Amino acid sequence: MTALPRFDTHDVFNQTPLYRDVDLFASDRPLQEAVAANGGTGELAACSAFGQRWGSGDLMAAARLANENEPKLKVFDATGFRQDVVEFHPAYHAFMAASMEAGLHAMTWNADGKRGAAPAEIARAARYYMVAQIESGHMCPITMTRASVAALAAEPALLQRLMPGISSRRYDPSFRPWSEKAGITVGMGMTEKQGGTDVRANTTQARPDGEEYRITGHKWFMSAPMSDLFLVLAQAPGGLTCFAMPRFAPAGNINGLRFQRLKDKLGNRSNASSEVEFADAFAWRVGEEGRGVRTIIEMVQLTRLDCAIASAGLMRMALVQAIHHTRHRTAFQKHLADHPLMRAVTADMALELEGVTALVMRLCRSFDQAPGERNEAARARLLTPAVKYWVCKTAPSFIYEAMECLGGNGYVEEGVLARLYREAPVNAIWEGSGNVMCLDVLRALTREPDAAGAVLQALVRDCAGLPGSAEAAGVIKESLAGADSEVRARAAVETLALLAAAAALAENGTSRIAELFARTRLASRRSAMYGAAALDSDAPAHVLARALPD
Ligand SMILES: Cc1cc2nc3c(=O)[nH]c(=O)nc-3n(C[C@H](O)[C@H](O)[C@H](O)COP(=O)(O)OP(=O)(O)OC[C@H]3O[C@@H](n4cnc5c(N)ncnc54)[C@H](O)[C@@H]3O)c2cc1C
């Protein structure tokens, strides 16, 4: 036991040493295996260097500072002129600089904005997963910037002008026109007061002004307001259309974005999310008039993927905090980790995260391979909403259970669990909330039934006889094909994600873990509580040793 200080009245003992200065990659066998199995073998050494850097105690401390010192909106300057800028703590800027230096905002694109070669998605996802364990808020602009390229592709000339700034590895927080900056970030504005899911109800108007447009209206949520450019939806004469709105108009004047206030949020505190009005703001059209949803959905598909990776990362940090704590803390003369019931809880959680990690990384492989392989494109289309649904909605209860493993120490703000817990729900809410993801899976099945059927078949084949896999595929088909498919969609989509997770584990070559996962999640109905799964007596030790070396 580490020696702890003597207080005036007592000796301190049985408190867990801080979990810090760790290699986030080398300590994570499921992640290493998933990266290798999905084409990232050449990335392993670089990922380990990355994991050491991001697992440093200094970055963990900086994450607390970035979240305790929230961004502030400065609407006016000292003499009353509009300013509309947001000030961030230096720790936030440091995270932005580090993530951009690593290329997380752009590394899946070539310099011309075309998709980079595999395993670009896997290489990025492994790093993203590690960063999310440390500080998630700043990943919002990182995610939107990388995803924006998919929508901007609808306007190739504009994309070519923007790519040098987007692909730059330099973070430039100065408030200047994008064309003068060393690196730029991109945000997104779709949600209005009257609706975020039903964006066709957007009331913001776009008026043609020569080749460009002038936009008047509002957005109710627009995160990362210090981005250099925003992709926004507005009603043009030809219908709902996607636009690129820069912070500065081409003439060099500040564009007509008027921030009203910043959201006072449950979590995601280091990131600013604004309410904004557009007062005759300058914008370029992206894609044809009337095709706004179709244009921006290219971006949203990628942000949904990131939501799942980020939630998986939050779960990973929660799990290792729980395992670490139970290995150090004693109760009733034994380490918590040696109490069979506690081991059952942490092992069940570790098994859940095995499935999550394998699933998310396998999905990234589909994105890597989609340009050349129709089956992988279909897999990405069907599974992205299913994975976002299951992973993002699993995270809050998972993190809560991890918090409870730490007892009272888990509940206080000095520790990391409270922040992880407050952060978790947002990934399920934004970029399409739970029901919307289920409806999107239904849409994919209805519009492309043959492709979706082939994906299901492939999942069953990949499961290679794992318990419950064939039955699960039958349940999914039956539930989603019937007249009451909408009502049954949640259960079916959850089953689809579990089936895909079991398949991903089997593909990774981790047959014992795949069997345990399928037996406790597909072949039998899993309890709502962790620790209730029927694991063999030696399974907890096996799963926990994989999760975190002792
Ligand atoms: C911290 C934060 C930051 C955000 N940043 C941005 C941003 O940068 N840009 C941006 O554009 N938006 C942003 N959003 C908004 C976010 O994307 C929306 O809140 C989200 O899409 C849901 O839209 P809504 O809030 O209008 O809810 P609604 O659309 O009203 O939905 C409410 C609920 O109804 C469900 N629902 C909707 N339609 C159906 C249906 N047909 N059947 C069954 N259920 C349905 C939804 O799943 C949801 O649970 C942000 C939100 C948060 C919390």
Side-chain angles (χ1 to χ4, degrees), residues 311-319 352-353 356 391 394-395 398-399:
S311 284
L314 297 175
M315 291 166 74
R316 169 72 191 169
M317 181 48 74
L319 177 72
E352 186 91 339
L353 190 57
V356 164
V391 174
T394 298
F398 182 101
I399 294 167

Side-chain angles (χ1 to χ4, degrees), residues 351-356 358-359 383 386-387 389-391 394 456 459 463 466-469 472-473 476 490-506 514 517-526 530:
L351 186 57
E352 186 91 339
L353 190 57
E354 288 262 11
V356 164
L359 177 64
L383 291 187
V387 173
Y389 173 77
W390 179 61
V391 174
T394 298
L456 261 183
L459 291 178
C463 278
L466 286 175
S469 55
I476 296 162
R490 276 194 172 221
V493 170
E494 182 177 345
T495 309
L496 174 61
L498 291 170
L499 179 70
L505 285 168
F517 187 90
R519 187 155 50 74
T520 54
R521 273 120 175 112
L522 283 177
S524 54
R525 190 169 161 67
R526 184 163 108 39
Y530 291 97

Side-chain angles (χ1 to χ4, degrees), residues 140 144 187-198 219-224 263 265 267-268 271 273 426 429-437 439 486 490:
C140 172
M144 292 195 290
M188 171 175 71
M190 296 193 287
T191 306
E192 297 187 359
K193 290 191 174 100
Q194 70 283 350
T197 307
D198 187 5
K219 295 294 164 187
W220 182 229
F221 282 88
M222 198 168 83
S223 292
K263 299 288 190 188
K265 296 178 287 186
N268 196 246
N271 178 35
S273 300
V426 77
I429 290 175
W430 62 15
E431 308 305 326
S433 313
N435 288 351
V436 177
M437 292 301 89
L439 294 174
E486 219 176 289
R490 276 194 172 221

Side-chain angles (χ1 to χ4, degrees), residues 215-549:
I215 296 191
T216 300
H218 81 282
K219 295 294 164 187
W220 182 229
F221 282 88
M222 198 168 83
S223 292
M226 291 306 282
S227 299
D228 299 287
L229 182 92
F230 299 88
L231 289 174
V232 301
L233 293 179
Q235 303 287 357
L240 192 68
T241 304
C242 182
F243 294 93
M245 181 187 286
R247 273 311 301 274
F248 287 78
N253 54 307
I254 298 177
N255 203 0
L257 289 87
R258 308 276 182 256
F259 296 118
Q260 304 301 298
R261 59 178 174 171
L262 298 185
K263 299 288 190 188
D264 184 5
K265 296 178 287 186
L266 169 68
N268 196 246
R269 298 258 177 96
S270 63
N271 178 35
S273 300
S274 71
E275 295 168 15
V276 62
E277 294 192 358
F278 303 140
D280 215 28
F282 171 92
W284 294 284
R285 181 171 45 74
V286 180
E288 289 171 36
E289 279 194 11
R291 294 174 68 84
V293 173
R294 191 162 281 238
T295 304
I296 213 156
I297 204 76
E298 297 295 329
M299 171 176 185
V300 172
Q301 191 78 343
L302 295 176
T303 57
R304 286 175 180 169
L305 177 63
D306 277 4
C307 289
I309 305 169
S311 284
L314 297 175
M315 291 166 74
R316 169 72 191 169
M317 181 48 74
L319 177 72
V320 294
Q321 293 280 346
I323 297 176
H324 175 74
H325 181 77
T326 58
R327 284 177 181 166
H328 287 87
R329 178 88 162 175
T330 59
F332 306 103
Q333 297 84 48
K334 275 202 289 198
H335 282 126
L336 289 171
D338 294 330
H339 289 275
L341 185 50
M342 179 57 92
R343 253 202 335 266
V345 173
T346 49
D348 199 10
M349 292 170 66
L351 186 57
E352 186 91 339
L353 190 57
E354 288 262 11
V356 164
T357 308
L359 177 64
V360 165
M361 293 298 155
R362 177 62 183 85
L363 181 58
C364 290
R365 171 161 38 126
S366 291
F367 276 82
D368 259 335
Q369 297 180 341
E373 292 184 35
R374 278 174 48 200
N375 291 346
E376 292 298 330
R379 201 175 178 125
R381 169 65 191 92
L382 182 71
L383 291 187
T384 301
V387 173
K388 186 199 183 260
Y389 173 77
W390 179 61
V391 174
C392 297
K393 290 185 81 67
T394 298
S397 58
F398 182 101
I399 294 167
Y400 150 68
E401 194 67 66
M403 178 189 285
E404 192 170 308
C405 292
L406 274 75
N409 283 352
Y411 194 71
V412 296
E413 290 290 344
E414 282 87 356
V416 70
L417 266 304
R419 173 152 49 84
L420 297 176
Y421 183 68
R422 282 190 277 98
E423 185 72 28
V426 77
N427 285 325
I429 290 175
W430 62 15
E431 308 305 326
S433 313
N435 288 351
V436 177
M437 292 301 89
C438 293
L439 294 174
D440 197 41
V441 172
L442 275 182
R443 196 172 305 119
L445 275 166
T446 317
R447 290 198 182 155
E448 291 159 68
D450 294 343
V455 173
L456 261 183
Q457 261 177 14
L459 291 178
V460 174
R461 194 187 55 233
D462 294 343
C463 278
L466 286 175
S469 55
E471 295 79 358
V475 168
I476 296 162
K477 270 193 218 148
E478 195 228 304
S479 310
L480 296 179
D484 59 351
S485 60
E486 219 176 289
V487 178
R488 298 170 74 181
R490 276 194 172 221
V493 170
E494 182 177 345
T495 309
L496 174 61
L498 291 170
L499 179 70
L505 285 168
E507 275 194 89
N508 286 1
T510 47
S511 53
R512 177 149 191 225
I513 297 292
E515 198 277 335
L516 278 172
F517 187 90
R519 187 155 50 74
T520 54
R521 273 120 175 112
L522 283 177
S524 54
R525 190 169 161 67
R526 184 163 108 39
S527 161
M529 305 300 165
Y530 291 97
L535 299 177
D536 318 325
S537 57
D538 61 341
H542 177 65
V543 178
L544 289 167
R546 287 174 52 82
L548 190 66

